Amino acid sequence: MAEKKESCFRTSIGGQALIEGILMRGPERQAIVVRDQDGRLVEKVDELRLIKDRYPILGWPLLRGVVNFLAAMVCGVQALMYSADFYPDETEAQPSKFELWLERHIAGKKLESMIVGLSVALGIGLSLFLFLVLPTFLTGALLHFFPGFPLWGRNVIEGLLKIVIFLLYLFLCSRMKDIHRVFQYHGAEHKTIFCYEAGLPLTVDNVRAQPRHHPRCGTSFLFVVIFVSILFSSVVFAFWQFTNVWLRTLVHLLLLPLVVAVTYEFNRWVGRHDNALTRVLTAPGMWMQNFTTFEPDDSMMECAIRSLELVIPEEKGKDEW
């Protein structure tokens, strides 16, 4: 017998899959729940201190997108590092002299901040190289060998290369055993949020029945970033027909903050509405989630349920989007 629904709504609560765990972020708190090697759920709850509370201008539309994206990157790396500590690599070699020197000369908190900052920088740098720099240089090589190739054709090929590289990247990640488990937790996160939004009691049976693709997923966000960047660059390069690869790369970089800002507002809008138009607009990004979300087992859903429970605000409706 189906359990009775309380109400249906859209929540602002979002999450991230970790190594054998889930991060959930609500309007007041964020919670990390990890299942350790003994099978116990370990909880870590922190009150949120948002930068927009100190600088309200950073919460304005088209500014909040870039700020929230960077904040999510930092928060995500910190959470991943925390979850990874429960599953150390037993075959890891002894610390190098450089690592020992760092531990002796840099305080623990400062060293952790440096590692997080470096990880975020490397993550952004790798993404920029794969999805922005590499397609630009590959199409630049095309013009080198075929100088008569039309510039509009170059724009089309450059856009297609971005999508192909993104799909290949997701496919290869999904084939890795450890990443596959993270993507199962990703599915548990989506299903649990859907269950909560449907107003159903947060039980494993209710969560299991929910879909695993969510319109506010980070995979969809990244795909829309690529798509919006293709649209913006196509318009810009239609008016200013740059052929130099370095100049084109610079223009792409300059457009990126605007692309992220517009994409963030788009995701907020489609996340609030469910109609024929939003379903069509989100369909490509939802399809991409076939690579990054898989069906979870019961233990993963238990982890996601507990993480969500810890961030639900006491004031009913405060997390409503």
Side-chain angles (χ1 to χ4, degrees):
M1 181 176 177
E3 296 188 61
K4 185 179 177 181
K5 293 185 180 182
E6 294 179 3
S7 60
C8 295
F9 74 111
R10 295 286 185 271
T11 182
S12 62
I13 295 174
Q16 176 184 323
L18 306 174
I19 299 170
E20 299 300 328
I22 297 280
L23 161 71
M24 287 286 185
R25 188 180 179 94
E28 301 170 329
R29 297 179 296 276
Q30 75 170 28
I32 299 172
V33 177
V34 177
R35 191 174 294 280
D36 67 15
Q37 296 186 67
D38 296 323
R40 298 170 299 187
L41 292 181
V42 181
E43 304 170 1
K44 182 177 184 291
V45 182
D46 296 302
E47 298 296 321
L48 288 181
R49 289 173 290 182
L50 303 177
I51 191 170
K52 70 177 183 179
D53 295 334
R54 286 180 290 166
Y55 307 102
I57 191 175
L58 296 181
W60 291 9
L62 294 182
L63 288 179
R64 61 190 176 189
V66 177
V67 173
N68 289 343
F69 175 75
L70 292 175
M73 286 281 292
V74 172
C75 176
V77 169
Q78 290 174 329
L80 278 170
M81 290 174 59
Y82 175 81
S83 65
D85 286 341
F86 290 90
Y87 292 86
D89 185 358
E90 296 178 357
T91 63
E92 188 175 354
Q94 292 296 317
S96 65
K97 292 182 178 180
F98 178 66
E99 291 172 326
L100 293 173
W101 182 89
L102 285 176
E103 291 177 1
R104 286 196 303 268
H105 292 83
I106 302 177
K109 285 290 183 182
K110 189 174 180 180
L111 179 59
E112 181 181 339
S113 298
M114 288 175 58
I115 293 173
V116 169
L118 180 61
S119 300
V120 170
L122 289 175
I124 294 175
L126 178 61
S127 299
L128 291 177
F129 174 77
L130 285 177
F131 309 127
L132 189 154
V133 176
L134 184 59
T136 303
F137 273 74
L138 288 176
T139 52
L142 177 70
L143 282 188
H144 177 75
F145 291 105
F146 303 96
F149 199 82
L151 287 177
W152 66 264
R154 176 181 183 174
N155 294 336
V156 171
I157 293 176
E158 194 173 285
L160 290 175
L161 276 174
K162 290 179 181 179
I163 295 174
V164 169
I165 291 172
F166 183 61
L167 286 172
L168 184 60
Y169 174 79
L170 293 182
F171 173 75
L172 292 176
C173 286
S174 68
R175 306 297 292 178
M176 299 170 64
K177 182 180 178 181
D178 292 340
I179 301 299
H180 185 90
R181 281 193 64 82
V182 173
F183 287 168
Q184 285 182 279
Y185 275 98
H186 193 191
E189 173 223 328
H190 286 185
K191 284 172 167 283
T192 304
I193 290 176
F194 265 128
C195 184
Y196 174 60
E197 290 180 324
L200 291 167
L202 293 174
T203 65
V204 170
D205 287 339
N206 286 338
V207 169
R208 188 186 299 113
Q210 305 305 313
R212 72 177 198 269
H213 300 159
H214 200 286
R216 290 190 289 108
C217 173
T219 304
S220 296
F221 177 82
L222 291 176
F223 174 75
V224 177
V225 164
I226 291 174
F227 186 74
V228 172
S229 72
I230 292 171
L231 290 179
F232 279 26
S233 59
S234 296
V235 172
V236 170
F237 294 138
F239 285 96
W240 295 279
Q241 298 189 358
F242 304 121
T243 57
N244 183 279
V245 291
W246 296 105
L247 188 56
R248 286 177 71 95
T249 301
L250 177 60
V251 172
H252 280 305
L253 290 172
L254 293 175
L255 286 173
L256 190 58
L258 180 60
V259 169
V260 171
V262 170
T263 304
Y264 180 82
E265 300 304 327
F266 172 82
N267 267 32
R268 282 180 63 90
W269 181 72
V270 298
R272 285 200 194 98
H273 303 87
D274 183 16
N275 53 51
L277 176 60
T278 58
R279 285 193 289 272
V280 169
L281 292 174
T282 59
M286 296 280 278
W287 181 83
M288 293 287 179
Q289 293 177 43
N290 286 309
F291 294 108
T292 62
T293 57
F294 298 116
E295 287 296 330
D297 60 31
D298 289 0
S299 68
M300 295 171 180
M301 289 183 278
E302 290 170 358
C303 188
I305 289 169
R306 183 55 186 154
S307 183
L308 179 59
E309 289 174 339
L310 291 170
V311 301
I312 296 174
E314 295 179 5
E315 181 183 335
K316 187 175 178 62
K318 189 170 183 179
D319 62 310
E320 189 166 354
W321 205 349

